[in-house]
Amino acid sequence: SFHAYASTQDHPQTWVRTVAEVRKALVEAGKPDMPIVDSEGGLNSKSFLRGLEHPTLPPEAKRTYDFLTAAELIVQWRVTLMAAGVKAHYYYFLIPGTLGRDANVGGVLSLTEATGGPIPAGVAQNNLVWQLDGGSFIQQVEREAGLRCYLFGRKDKTILAVLWAEDEAKFTLWGTA
């Protein structure tokens, strides 16, 4: 197993090399088929509570808002890890956001805000799990530069395609004008 932590500054492909190194070490240890597990991880993002001006918040707790980037990245990050061969993920959910002298607005790695409500990355993570429906990675489809497309088989025997444009690439979806 390994621990995958990311920030909104990381590229979704960051962990592919790490997973390849773990697989290589397993092969060298004579365990090529041992499942790879992300046994601890989290995405470092910030608050989405615009205008949160709690009197006990120190100045460093008033951060920039990168919550939309975090919502995109958490899906890309998890999909990329699954495609690289990671069989299970354990997200570090237990750091709730707090207010007060030691404010941790947004929980840093949490999927909940200081108010207890979900942050957009938490909603995105939930929707990915719901859409995957316990399915597994089938293949990555490469058709155009800058387009990432991953196919997953779901329990209901349908296929889910997760795709996104990287680095602001522009493309036309197949079958559209």
Side-chain angles (χ1 to χ4, degrees):
S1 79
F2 70 104
H3 296 176
Y5 287 92
S7 82
T8 54
Q9 307 305 309
D10 293 337
H11 193 279
Q13 300 297 313
T14 301
W15 290 100
V16 172
R17 183 174 54 250
T18 301
V19 174
E21 290 169 2
V22 170
R23 178 59 61 206
K24 181 181 176 194
L26 289 171
V27 168
E28 290 171 358
K31 300 181 185 249
D33 298 323
M34 180 178 273
I36 298 175
V37 175
D38 171 11
S39 59
E40 178 181 309
L43 176 63
N44 187 355
S45 65
K46 298 170 183 66
S47 176
F48 77 103
L49 294 176
R50 290 187 199 138
L52 178 65
E53 296 296 332
H54 196 274
T56 62
L57 284 178
E60 62 272 13
K62 298 174 184 175
R63 308 174 193 167
T64 59
Y65 304 108
D66 63 351
F67 59 91
L68 292 177
T69 302
E72 293 172 6
L73 185 61
I74 199 165
V75 170
Q76 295 169 358
W77 178 39
R78 291 303 188 188
V79 165
T80 301
L81 284 172
M82 287 185 275
V86 174
K87 298 298 180 195
H89 307 270
Y90 297 92
Y91 193 93
Y92 225 132
F93 183 68
L94 304 174
I95 306 175
T98 58
L99 295 172
R101 190 175 61 81
D102 298 318
N104 181 17
V105 178
V108 182
L109 297 170
S110 182
L111 295 178
T112 60
E113 195 48 272
T115 60
I119 62 173
V123 174
Q125 169 90 353
N126 181 68
N127 284 334
L128 176 64
V129 170
W130 174 59
Q131 288 297 321
L132 288 174
D133 186 35
S136 58
F137 175 70
I138 298 173
Q139 72 179 25
Q140 181 176 354
V141 177
E142 296 187 29
R143 302 230 357 193
E144 295 185 40
L147 174 66
R148 295 282 178 179
C149 180
Y150 299 87
L151 302 178
F152 293 86
R154 294 170 26 121
K155 284 184 181 178
D156 66 3
K157 307 295 184 213
T158 61
I159 294 176
L160 173 70
V162 181
L163 53 107
W164 64 86
E166 281 192 344
D167 305 320
E168 299 184 30
K170 305 272 189 235
F171 61 92
T172 301
L173 289 176
W174 313 295
T176 62

